[in-house]
Amino acid sequence: MIYLDHAATAGPRRPEVIEAVAAVLRDGLGNPGRSGHSLSLRAARLLEESRCVVASFFGISDPARLVFTPGATASINLVLRGYLRPGDTVLASSWEHNAVMRPLRWMERDGGVRVEIVPPRRDDAGYPRGVDLERLRERLDTGPAVRMVALVAASNVTGESLPVREIATLAHAGGAAVLVDAAQGAGVLDIQAERDGIDFLAVTGHKSLEGPAGIGALAMLHPDQLEPLIRGGTGSRSEEEEQPSFTPDRFEAGTPNLPGIAGLAAAIGLLNRVGIETVASRHRELRGRLVARLRETPGLIVHHSADERGDEPGWLAVVSFTADGCDPGALSWALDRRGIACRPGLHCAPRAHRTLGTWPKGTVRFSPGPACTEAEIDAAVAALREATNEVRGGG
Amino acid sequence: MNDARETKLPVGEPVAARGPVAVFDSIHAVLAAERAFLTAALVCDLVPIPRGVTSDCGLALLFRATDIESARAIFADPALGERLRGIFVPGPDGYIPDAMNSPQP
């Protein structure tokens, strides 16, 4: 199987990650911060050392401002529901995943929150790109006050990264906080919350960080401005029935997912050894080859800016395309029968597909991981040519 | 991950024979305090919070009575001090608040 669905979840995990998860389960570590015995203490040390690793990776100097969550969606819900109040206005990019859009639409309907979409800019060929920064600046300068700007670090449909630092600067000048959904960018892009002015940074462990599923994190510059979403036991202030006011306990009620946390820390440890620029470079190489090969294939529309080759900085190895006369789902199925794993449809990002002009059918998305080879890219595109013929009824 | 630490101070002795304990808001803060002690080359250990101090179910930092001034200096760092609930010293019937610190149970 050639695995080109890394943007959904990473392929087989590395042995170090598997061992880190297994060690917690095998060694029967206790519940961190709950009991006083040595196994509980080992668990607490592992939890806090992991917290330091993850916080440092995302540029948070005080590890207490990095809390573990079940994933980016949970982190985003915590922020949106813990920060916004009735009457607040949120600006969202036109590339948002439903992890952001669904809680926002719910809060718009039931919570009195106003949601506005910031349009993309257009390249010379009219292709939608990133965010129209002038429009964003104008909106922040005029109209009702904006409480938050929400954006993806990189689109899970096109692979384009957004200019997070510029947007954060504009948002802060306009008095708005910044939420970045880095589900796709974390592990490839150099994202440093404090340096980049990201008030709330949501990440998940199982995509480009290549850790386990079911674990994520939220890095915060201002945790005091956030109400917890979940309240319960923390092992601290146990004599009180009120949630602790201090981090990380304030946001970490319930027994933590220590196997996941250990696996995530191990995965980030590996990334630190490899170097994130090496990963980013590999993503650019793979994207460039993929875009070039797909462009050579007749009858395909590659949803990538015509102005770019594909291997420029700021793009992940995530490429969407459509094929004339082919339903994306049927094409994906034909590819699976040829040993190619990919993802068709809307990728839980209907907003992005509307922006791209590919709603409602969506696209087929190829998203190789760093371990993918050039030969595998070429083989996948060769299989795609056969698959399109089959779906069109010619093979 | 280094998770194997040796016990460095005697435990299980009568309270009067033990050293002071520092009690914090959370295990996160306790471990941060332990790191600060180790950085300062001070001997310490983590023990269950004495029941006489609080019914909390966490751990406390146990250290030598002779290091109490150094401990106070370390806890003067707001990052630790804000999470410190108090220093408690052994008394005849159990731990009592250290006169130099106002515990916040």
Side-chain angles (χ1 to χ4, degrees):
Chain A
M1 178 67 81
I2 296 175
Y3 189 74
L4 301 182
D5 202 16
H6 201 77
T9 195
R13 305 308 196 264
R14 297 180 195 284
E16 294 89 338
V17 174
I18 295 168
E19 173 53 26
V21 173
V24 175
L25 301 172
R26 186 182 56 232
D27 295 352
L29 295 194
N31 198 330
R34 267 65 174 182
S35 310
H37 56 74
S38 57
L39 287 172
S40 174
L41 180 55
R42 280 180 62 191
R45 290 192 197 286
L46 181 57
L47 172 63
E48 294 309 318
E49 287 167 4
S50 299
R51 192 188 309 280
C52 290
V53 168
V54 181
S56 173
F57 186 77
F58 290 111
I60 288 286
S61 55
D62 176 6
R65 287 191 278 111
L66 184 292
V67 297
F68 291 109
T69 68
T73 300
S75 299
I76 291 163
N77 272 266
L78 167 56
V79 172
L80 295 178
R81 296 172 66 182
Y83 185 79
L84 299 175
R85 302 287 173 267
D88 286 347
T89 296
V90 180
L91 304 185
S93 91
S94 54
W95 302 103
E96 295 309 302
H97 187 277
N98 271 346
V100 165
M101 292 312 303
R102 284 184 170 174
L104 277 183
R105 291 304 185 201
W106 175 72
M107 295 179 76
E108 183 179 46
R109 191 184 68 235
D110 290 350
V113 169
R114 182 183 168 89
V115 180
E116 298 178 28
I117 304 299
V118 182
R121 67 182 177 86
R122 299 277 167 179
D123 67 12
D124 292 343
Y127 182 87
R129 296 285 305 277
V131 169
D132 185 332
L133 294 177
E134 267 314 302
R135 292 278 294 276
L136 175 63
R137 189 197 315 272
E138 286 171 14
R139 175 59 190 87
L140 287 163
D141 287 347
T142 59
V146 175
R147 185 105 194 283
M148 174 173 277
V149 176
L151 66 150
V152 285
S155 167
N156 69 317
V157 175
T158 68
E160 182 185 15
S161 65
L162 270 57
V164 169
R165 292 176 78 170
E166 287 108 307
I167 291 171
T169 300
L170 290 175
H172 291 157
V178 174
L179 163 63
V180 172
D181 167 8
Q184 286 299 330
V188 183
L189 306 170
D190 177 20
I191 300 172
Q192 301 282 291
E194 290 175 1
R195 181 199 67 194
D196 299 341
I198 302 170
D199 299 282
F200 302 106
L201 173 66
V203 300
T204 193
H206 69 104
K207 296 181 190 281
S208 286
L209 292 173
E210 301 198 37
I215 187 68
L218 175 66
M220 300 171 278
L221 301 190
H222 310 291
D224 52 313
Q225 297 178 6
L226 201 59
E227 280 296 316
L229 189 59
I230 303 291
R231 293 173 173 83
T234 58
S236 54
R237 295 274 183 179
S238 295
E239 71 278 20
E240 297 177 3
E241 293 187 349
E242 296 292 332
Q243 189 74 4
S245 60
F246 46 86
T247 59
D249 299 38
R250 180 170 165 78
F251 302 105
E252 289 187 347
T255 296
N257 173 5
L258 195 58
I261 290 167
L264 176 59
I268 288 179
L270 288 170
L271 267 174
N272 281 331
R273 289 214 287 277
V274 171
I276 198 159
E277 178 47 41
T278 301
V279 178
S281 172
R282 184 64 186 147
H283 266 251
R284 291 195 297 271
E285 289 171 356
L286 291 168
R287 182 183 181 94
R289 192 173 190 98
L290 195 46
V291 168
R293 291 287 178 271
L294 291 171
R295 280 177 171 165
E296 293 166 2
T297 305
L300 290 190
I301 298 172
V302 184
H303 296 283
H304 177 73
S305 173
D307 293 348
E308 309 210 37
R309 295 182 308 276
D311 58 356
E312 293 87 351
W315 295 86
L316 309 186
V318 176
V319 180
S320 271
F321 58 89
T322 45
D324 295 343
C326 293
D327 174 82
L331 191 51
S332 173
W333 188 67
L335 283 163
D336 182 57
R337 293 196 302 157
R338 289 169 172 78
I340 312 297
C342 61
R343 182 168 174 192
L346 294 174
H347 312 100
C348 292
R351 172 57 49 184
H353 280 282
R354 286 179 186 274
T355 302
L356 204 56
T358 49
W359 190 88
K361 284 193 170 179
T363 58
V364 176
R365 183 184 70 186
F366 279 181
S367 56
C372 185
T373 66
E374 277 73 2
E376 287 178 315
I377 295 288
D378 294 350
V381 176
L384 174 63
R385 290 172 182 161
E386 290 181 13
T388 52
N389 283 337
E390 177 187 304
V391 173
R392 288 171 183 145
Chain B
M1 299 286 178
N2 177 15
D3 56 12
R5 313 281 169 103
E6 292 180 6
T7 299
K8 302 169 214 69
L9 287 169
V11 294
E13 297 178 354
V15 164
R18 297 170 64 180
V21 293
V23 177
F24 293 85
D25 269 336
S26 68
I27 187 68
H28 174 83
V30 175
L31 291 172
E34 184 194 40
R35 283 195 295 274
F37 265 60
L38 294 175
T39 300
L42 299 177
V43 173
C44 64
D45 205 350
L46 300 183
V47 297
I49 297 175
R51 292 303 88 169
V53 170
T54 167
S55 55
D56 208 346
C57 45
L59 294 170
L61 186 80
L62 172 68
F63 55 95
R64 286 176 174 156
T66 51
D67 289 332
I68 196 160
E69 287 305 323
S70 301
R72 288 179 183 134
I74 287 173
F75 300 150
D77 175 356
L80 284 176
E82 288 175 4
R83 301 274 73 86
L84 178 67
R85 298 180 69 177
I87 297 175
F88 298 83
V89 296
D93 298 315
Y95 276 97
I96 58 174
D98 172 35
M100 295 289 289
N101 283 271
S102 300
Q104 306 159 16

